[in-house]
Amino acid sequence: MKTTPIATATMVKPKTRTRLRRAKPTDASSNNANLASNSPRPEDAGEEDNNNKHKADLAQEILISGNVQSFVDFFYLTHRPDPSAGQSMNPNAEIGPIKVTATEQEFIKENLVEAELSRRKGVTPAVYSAYNNLALYYSSENIADPKTSVYFQEKCLEISKLTGDANGEMSANHALGLVFSQMGDCQSAISYHERHMELAREKQVYAEKEFASTALEKVYRVHADNMEEAGDYNAAVEFFSKQLEAARANRDRAAEGEACFRLGRTYVVVQQAVKAIQFLDEYERIAIELEDLTGHGKASAALAAAHQSLGDDDKAVEFLTNYLEISAKTENLQAQGESCSALGVIYNSRGEFDKSVEMFEKNFEIARSNVSSGQANTSLVDKSRVYLGIARGNQLRGKVFMHINTDISELINMKKNPVK
């Protein structure tokens, strides 16, 4: 099996950046300070020299042993520009060479040579294992070089396909899905995880189906969130539905409930409240089953919004009252404020001004507590004060109108029955 050198295959070398000129110092002291800060310390320079010598010795060993492909790959992996430098917030930052410790150099050399020698002998499991070691190394948190990890995992996938190794193919697809998720490429991640699931079903391997469905549930959720944030609600509904399916396949009730909540919430946004209520009712049942008070509160708030969009204020008040009681138990001041405000609005629209004022007074006090504790800024208090003022104004206006109506009724009665 012919292998293409890393440097000339899927990994493209970054373009050389133009070196930036240093700014001229304003005085002699700043000049000396710049020289001191930019000059390498003697111990650092010595360590770097030793590291470079070790690197050169290993490269020479690889070449002398006749492993030309390993030499090409080793040279590129240990001399290329630092891939993590491209993540800098400063677009003008100069990209320096990658730093690879002596231990890491040994690890890279051993696995590259092992892969090349095993390929010549036809021992494909050893080739797969060596490439997999390198892939895991580059995707690890300390290295965080997912593109290089993808390169080696694709090698693993290629080997497993050529040799008919279904377990290796499932493992490589799963690993590639995880790495692409790490890179933020949800669509590629979904593609590999779905292939993993397809193979697991074909081979009837329950453990692999569980791995695949767990990974799919997570990546479907992230992708659906991205679609919702972008305003593509149809796509959001599609992938929240897939998230729910994956959670059910995995028998994960907590994940299933979360998927129902997100799906129901999205249906409320697209004004399909009837469908929303079906999923939100299921989320509420799951939250109660799992004794999840916070989830139960979220379900009540979302159900209130769904019923209110259908014009059923009585149901909305019922769920908002429940939301207020739950948020008091969980000591969630923000949720208490939201429920009081929503109840105040409904009562105001129904002409129940005394109840509206009561709710907005509670909302105002909660807002002040949030600001005092540093959980909110003063604009929240200002907003709550305005709502309370409007509610009190409506309450007063109602009393005035009631008084006027009473006086008019008495006047009409007097005219009908004049005193003789």
Side-chain angles (χ1 to χ4, degrees):
M1 182 172 59
K2 186 177 179 181
T3 306
T4 309
I6 295 177
T8 58
T10 57
M11 300 167 59
V12 180
K13 291 186 179 181
K15 294 180 180 178
T16 305
R17 293 177 179 257
T18 304
R19 296 182 66 86
L20 299 175
R21 293 183 179 179
R22 295 189 181 276
K24 293 183 178 180
T26 54
D27 54 45
S29 60
S30 64
N31 187 31
N32 291 334
N34 283 335
L35 288 171
S37 63
N38 289 299
S39 298
R41 293 177 301 174
E43 58 269 29
D44 290 344
E47 182 180 346
E48 186 174 351
D49 287 344
N50 289 335
N51 202 35
N52 288 335
K53 185 179 184 304
H54 185 72
K55 190 191 307 180
D57 290 342
L58 289 178
Q60 189 175 18
E61 285 177 19
I62 297 171
L63 194 57
I64 291 173
S65 63
N67 297 298
V68 179
Q69 179 67 66
S70 298
F71 169 79
V72 173
D73 290 348
F74 178 83
F75 187 88
Y76 176 74
L77 288 169
T78 57
H79 290 80
R80 61 190 171 136
D82 188 351
S84 63
Q87 302 170 13
S88 171
M89 296 298 291
N90 180 8
N92 296 320
E94 185 177 349
I95 299 179
I98 190 170
K99 294 181 180 178
V100 187
T101 66
T103 303
E104 290 169 336
Q105 291 170 21
E106 293 279 358
F107 175 82
I108 293 168
K109 174 214 166 189
E110 286 173 9
N111 282 282
L112 288 174
V113 170
E114 175 65 20
E116 186 168 357
L117 290 175
S118 299
R119 187 170 60 248
R120 289 176 190 167
K121 297 173 184 176
V123 186
T124 50
V127 181
Y128 185 104
S129 177
Y131 282 145
N132 188 55
N133 289 339
L134 288 164
L136 293 175
Y137 163 74
Y138 282 109
S139 65
S140 65
E141 188 176 344
N142 292 336
I143 305 303
D145 183 4
K147 289 184 179 179
T148 305
S149 178
V150 165
Y151 174 84
F152 285 111
Q153 283 296 356
E154 285 177 340
K155 288 287 184 188
C156 292
L157 184 59
E158 179 186 357
I159 292 166
S160 60
K161 285 180 177 179
L162 288 173
T163 57
D165 179 5
N167 288 329
E169 189 175 352
M170 284 188 283
S171 178
N173 275 290
H174 182 71
L176 281 163
L178 294 178
V179 176
F180 276 111
S181 290
Q182 181 184 348
M183 294 166 65
D185 186 349
C186 288
Q187 290 182 322
S188 295
I190 287 169
S191 176
Y192 283 110
H193 285 311
E194 286 182 340
R195 177 57 182 158
H196 180 199
M197 175 61 81
E198 184 182 341
L199 288 166
R201 285 172 175 163
E202 285 177 6
K203 303 300 178 183
Q204 292 296 307
V205 184
Y206 177 78
E208 291 294 337
K209 286 196 285 186
E210 188 175 8
F211 286 144
S213 59
T214 300
L216 280 169
E217 186 274 323
K218 292 177 182 177
V219 74
Y220 283 150
R221 182 186 67 223
V222 173
H223 190 54
D225 282 339
N226 292 340
M227 294 298 97
E228 187 177 42
E229 188 176 345
D232 190 347
Y233 295 109
N234 289 331
V237 165
E238 177 189 351
F239 283 97
F240 280 138
S241 299
K242 288 186 175 184
Q243 179 200 354
L244 178 58
E245 183 182 347
R248 284 173 174 167
N250 207 28
R251 299 177 184 178
D252 186 340
R253 289 291 277 167
E256 186 180 340
E258 189 64 26
C260 285
F261 170 69
R262 290 167 182 267
L263 195 52
R265 184 188 59 186
T266 307
Y267 274 126
V268 171
V269 173
V270 297
Q271 299 180 342
Q272 295 187 43
V274 175
K275 283 187 177 180
I277 289 169
Q278 294 173 6
F279 290 104
L280 293 172
D281 278 341
E282 179 63 18
Y283 177 48
E284 184 183 42
R285 283 192 291 271
I286 292 172
I288 293 170
E289 174 191 323
L290 298 178
E291 298 182 350
D292 177 9
L293 266 182
T294 301
H296 191 183
K298 284 166 58 180
S300 295
L303 281 164
H307 283 290
Q308 193 173 5
S309 69
L310 291 173
D312 190 346
D313 285 349
D314 290 337
K315 274 286 187 183
V317 167
E318 178 186 335
F319 283 111
L320 282 170
T321 303
N322 192 43
Y323 182 38
L324 179 58
E325 291 173 357
I326 291 171
S327 56
K329 290 178 183 177
T330 57
E331 299 181 348
N332 186 336
L333 285 177
Q334 183 180 349
Q336 291 176 54
E338 289 172 356
S339 53
C340 285
S341 180
L343 282 166
V345 170
I346 292 175
Y347 285 136
N348 185 74
S349 66
R350 292 164 62 162
E352 299 178 45
F353 299 122
D354 290 344
K355 289 183 178 180
S356 178
V357 168
E358 180 186 353
M359 289 296 107
F360 280 120
E361 282 177 344
K362 287 183 179 179
N363 177 54
F364 179 65
E365 291 304 318
I366 291 169
R368 291 177 63 184
S369 297
N370 276 326
V371 171
S372 298
S373 62
Q375 297 179 42
N377 55 42
T378 55
S379 64
L380 180 63
V381 173
D382 295 337
K383 189 172 165 183
S384 301
R385 184 183 289 111
V386 170
Y387 288 159
L388 178 57
I390 293 171
R392 283 175 174 169
N394 288 334
Q395 182 188 43
L396 181 60
R397 185 181 63 177
K399 290 179 179 179
V400 169
F401 284 160
M402 185 181 297
H403 182 69
I404 291 172
N405 288 335
T406 302
D407 287 348
I408 290 174
S409 297
E410 290 178 0
L411 183 60
I412 290 171
N413 287 331
M414 287 175 60
K415 285 189 174 289
K416 284 183 180 179
N417 303 294
V419 178
K420 295 181 180 179

